[in-house]
C-alpha cells in the first residue's frame, strides 16, 4: 500500500510500505488513556478514563491518588482500546507511551506498563513527549496539515508557542514564566467559587458576563516578547475580589470570569499573531486542554482569517489528554527509526526537543 514515509530532517516522501499500527498509552496526569493509531492519522480506538470527579473533591489533582487510579484502570483501558480497534497485541508494530513531562508517579505507571507489554510481546518501545503529543493531535483531523507551522500549546501545565519546523523538530519561541494558561483558569475558578476543573466552568459562566466589565492586566515579558506571564492577572482577580469585599460591592462572578477569560485569550492571540507576522508562516495550530475554549478558538480564527493564515485546532476530545495524540507523535518517531530501550524512565520535567 502507498503511504507517506518520513525520515527525520528530510522532506516527507512517498514510499511503498505496509501499514504501521501503534498502541499508545498516556497517564501523565489525571487521565488513564490508551489508543490504537494506524499510520499516524487514523484513530482506530481512543479510550479515556478520566479521574476528574475524584479530584474535584480536593479542588485539584492529588498526585498520589492519580497514580493509584492509573494502576487500577490501565489494564482495562488498554484491553478496551485493542477490542474497539478489533486488533490484538500481536498485530501492533510498536508500543508508545508518554514518559514526560507530568506527575512522576502517574508517568511511571504508563511507562512500566508499556515496557512490560512491549517486552512480553517482543515489540519496539517508544517514549513520547507529552507536549509533542498535544501538537501532533492536530494531524488527526487535519489530514492535509504538514510542517512547517506554528503552534500554541495551552494546557494545565504548559503554555508554549512553538515553531514546528518538521516532524519531530520543534523550536520553542515563547513559554510561560510562571503559571500555565490552564493553571490560571483553574486558580481563578477556585477563587470565584467555581471549583475544579476551572477552564470549562469559567467558559460556561462567562457566557452570562460582560468581558469588558473589568480591565484585568495583559502582562508583557520584557526579555522575550513571545513569553507569557499569567500570575499577574490571577493576582489582579484576587485583589479585585478583596477590594469588592472591603467596599461592600457585590461580586459579579460572570463578569469576573468573562473579563479574566478575555484578558488571557487576548494575550494568547496577540503573541500568536506576532509570531505569524515575524516568521511568515501561514499555518497556525492550537493544542492542549485550553485549546477547546470557544473564545480562544474564535479569537484565533478571526485573527488568522484577517492575515490569510490557515487555522487548525483539534476537536475537544483530542485537546484534553488522550492517547491518540501520543500514537500520532510516536508514528513519526517510529518512521525516523528511533526506538527506546528497556531503561526508558519517567522524566517529570522533560523539556520539548530533549531526549
Ligand atoms: O491538556 P490538559 O487536558 O492537561 C494537561 O496536560 O495539563 O489540560 C487541562 C487544562 C486544565 O487547566 C483545564 O482547566 C483547561 O485545560 N481547560 C480549559 C477548557 N477546558 C479545559 N481552559 C479553558 N477553557 C476550556 N474550555
Ligand atoms: Zn496535556
Amino acid at each position: 500500500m502507498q503511504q507517506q514515509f518520513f525520515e527525520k530532517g528530510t522532506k516527507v516522501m512517498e514510499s511503498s510500505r505496509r501499514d504501521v499500527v501503534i498502541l499508545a498509552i498516556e497517564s501523565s496526569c489525571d487521565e488513564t488513556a490508551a489508543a490504537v493509531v494506524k499510520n499516524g492519522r487514523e484513530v482506530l480506538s481512543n479510550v479515556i478514563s478520566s479521574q476528574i470527579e475524584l479530584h474535584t473533591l480536593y479542588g485539584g489533582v492529588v498526585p498520589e491518588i492519580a497514580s493509584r487510579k492509573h494502576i487500577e484502570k490501565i489494564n482495562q483501558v488498554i484491553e478496551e482500546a485493542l477490542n474497539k480497534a478489533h486488533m490484538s497485541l500481536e498485530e501492533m508494530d510498536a508500543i508508545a507511551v508518554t514518559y514526560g513531562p507530568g506527575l512522576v508517579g502517574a508517568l511511571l505507571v504508563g511507562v512500566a506498563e508499556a515496557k512490560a507489554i512491549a517486552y512480553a510481546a517482543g515489540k519496539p518501545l517508544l517514549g513520547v513527549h507529552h507536549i509533542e503529543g498535544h501538537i501532533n493531535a492536530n494531524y488527526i483531523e487535519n489530514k492535509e496539515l504538514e510542517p512547517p507551522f506554528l503552534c500554541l500549546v495551552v494546557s494545565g501545565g504548559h503554555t508554549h508557542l512553538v515553531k514546528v519546523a518538521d516532524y519531530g523538530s520543534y523550536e520553542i519561541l515563547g513559554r510561560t514564566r510562571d503559571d500555565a494558561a490552564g493553571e490560571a483558569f483553574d486558580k481563578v475558578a477556585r477563587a470565584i467559587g467555581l471549583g475544579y476543573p476551572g477552564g470549562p466552568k469559567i467558559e460556561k459562566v462567562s457566557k452570562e458576563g460582560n468581558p469588558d466589565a473589568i480591565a484585568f492586566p495583559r502582562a508583557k515579558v520584557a526579555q522575550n516578547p513571545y513569553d507569557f506571564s499569567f500570575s499577574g492577572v490571577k493576582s489582579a482577580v484576587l485583589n479585585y475580589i478583596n477590594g469588592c469585599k472591603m467596599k461592600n460591592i457585590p461580586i459579579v462572578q460572570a463578569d469576573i470570569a468573562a473579563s479574566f477569560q478575555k484578558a488571557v485569550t487576548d494575550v494568547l492571540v496577540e503573541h500568536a499573531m506576532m509570531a505569524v507576522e515575524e516568521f511568515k508562516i501561514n499555518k497556525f495550530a492550537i493544542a492542549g486542554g485550553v485549546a477547546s475554549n470557544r473564545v480562544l478558538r474564535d479569537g484565533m480564527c478571526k485573527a488568522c482569517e484577517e492575515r490569510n493564515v490557515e487555522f487548525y485546532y483539534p476537536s475537544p476530545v483530542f485537546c484534553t489528554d488522550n492517547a491518540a495524540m501520543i500514537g500520532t507523535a510516536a508514528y513519526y518517531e517510529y518512521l525516523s527509526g528511533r526506538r527506546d530501550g528497556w531503561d526508558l524512565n519517567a522524566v517529570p520535567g522533560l523539556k520539548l526537543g530533549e531526549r
Side-chain angles (χ1 to χ4, degrees):
M1 191 201 146
Q2 281 281 323
Q3 69 157 72
Q4 298 227 288
F5 173 58
F6 162 74
E7 272 180 4
K8 217 168 198 161
T10 66
K11 269 271 144 304
V12 172
M13 48 193 189
E14 289 292 316
S15 170
S16 55
R17 59 194 310 282
R18 60 176 192 82
D19 290 335
V20 174
V21 187
I22 294 179
L23 169 67
I25 299 167
E26 154 67 42
S27 69
S28 65
C29 191
D30 59 348
E31 261 97 27
T32 320
V36 176
V37 181
K38 185 166 131 186
N39 299 331
R41 303 200 182 207
E42 195 182 331
V43 177
L44 303 184
S45 65
N46 186 33
V47 180
I48 305 172
S49 169
S50 175
Q51 305 176 3
I52 281 186
E53 271 179 39
L54 199 63
H55 298 286
T56 300
L57 291 171
Y58 305 95
V61 178
V62 184
E64 187 55 30
I65 294 178
S67 315
R68 285 189 211 177
K69 268 286 150 199
H70 285 313
I71 293 173
E72 279 173 30
K73 291 279 174 187
I74 199 152
N75 281 321
Q76 75 192 63
V77 165
I78 291 171
E79 219 172 286
E80 203 181 324
L82 287 168
N83 287 343
K84 284 197 167 149
H86 304 292
M87 292 190 86
S88 67
L89 197 52
E90 288 66 43
E91 291 173 280
M92 298 297 117
D93 291 282
I95 312 298
V97 64
T98 306
Y99 75 111
L103 303 169
V104 67
L107 287 165
L108 273 170
V109 176
V111 170
E113 178 83 12
K115 285 204 279 193
I117 292 178
Y119 185 75
K123 303 290 177 185
L125 175 70
L126 278 163
V128 174
H129 193 291
H130 183 74
I131 300 298
E132 185 170 4
H134 274 303
I135 295 170
N136 280 248
N138 278 287
Y139 295 135
I140 297 170
E141 294 157 297
N142 301 299
K143 311 286 183 209
E144 76 289 4
L145 177 62
E146 300 249 18
F149 62 93
L150 294 166
C151 186
L152 175 75
V153 188
V154 268
S155 71
H158 309 273
T159 306
H160 282 37
L161 186 56
V162 182
K163 182 175 155 192
V164 183
D166 204 339
Y167 291 100
S169 170
Y170 308 96
E171 186 189 331
I172 299 172
L173 307 176
R175 53 158 67 87
T176 182
R177 293 294 182 106
D178 38 58
D179 293 348
E183 192 181 351
F185 269 92
D186 293 335
K187 286 178 176 170
V188 165
R190 197 179 313 153
I192 60 174
L194 288 173
Y196 177 84
K201 292 187 173 165
I202 289 205
E203 180 173 3
K204 190 159 176 241
V205 301
S206 290
K207 289 185 184 130
E208 318 295 324
N210 173 8
D212 300 314
I214 311 149
F216 289 130
R218 276 100 168 127
K220 289 213 183 335
V221 179
Q223 296 88 336
N224 177 4
Y226 293 120
D227 275 355
F228 303 92
S229 167
F230 296 111
S231 65
V233 62
K234 175 197 67 190
S235 303
V237 172
L238 296 177
N239 289 341
Y240 175 81
I241 294 170
N242 288 337
C244 288
K245 281 183 186 157
M246 275 158 60
K247 292 179 213 150
N248 250 334
I249 299 171
I251 294 165
V252 185
Q253 198 186 43
D255 283 351
I256 298 177
S259 302
F260 161 78
Q261 180 174 255
K262 179 140 195 291
V264 172
T265 54
D266 276 357
V267 168
L268 294 173
V269 174
E270 191 191 310
H271 283 44
M273 292 308 116
M274 231 159 52
V276 159
E277 280 160 21
E278 180 175 342
F279 294 94
K280 309 216 172 341
I281 295 178
N282 66 350
K283 286 182 267 180
F284 196 94
I286 53 171
V290 185
S292 53
N293 183 283
R294 195 76 238 177
V295 173
L296 176 64
R297 282 176 186 238
D298 290 349
M300 286 287 183
C301 187
K302 187 166 170 279
C304 283
E305 243 171 49
E306 285 166 4
R307 291 165 180 81
N308 253 329
V309 169
E310 208 62 52
F311 176 55
Y312 300 90
Y313 52 90
S315 293
V317 68
F318 297 123
C319 283
T320 45
D321 289 350
N322 66 88
M325 67 185 195
I326 303 302
T328 299
Y331 171 73
Y332 293 103
E333 295 284 347
Y334 180 91
L335 293 188
S336 78
R338 214 199 96 225
R339 305 288 183 267
D340 280 297
W342 306 124
D343 58 349
L344 180 72
N345 204 355
V347 184
L350 186 67
K351 303 267 183 302
L352 188 61
E354 269 179 18
R355 288 245 147 251

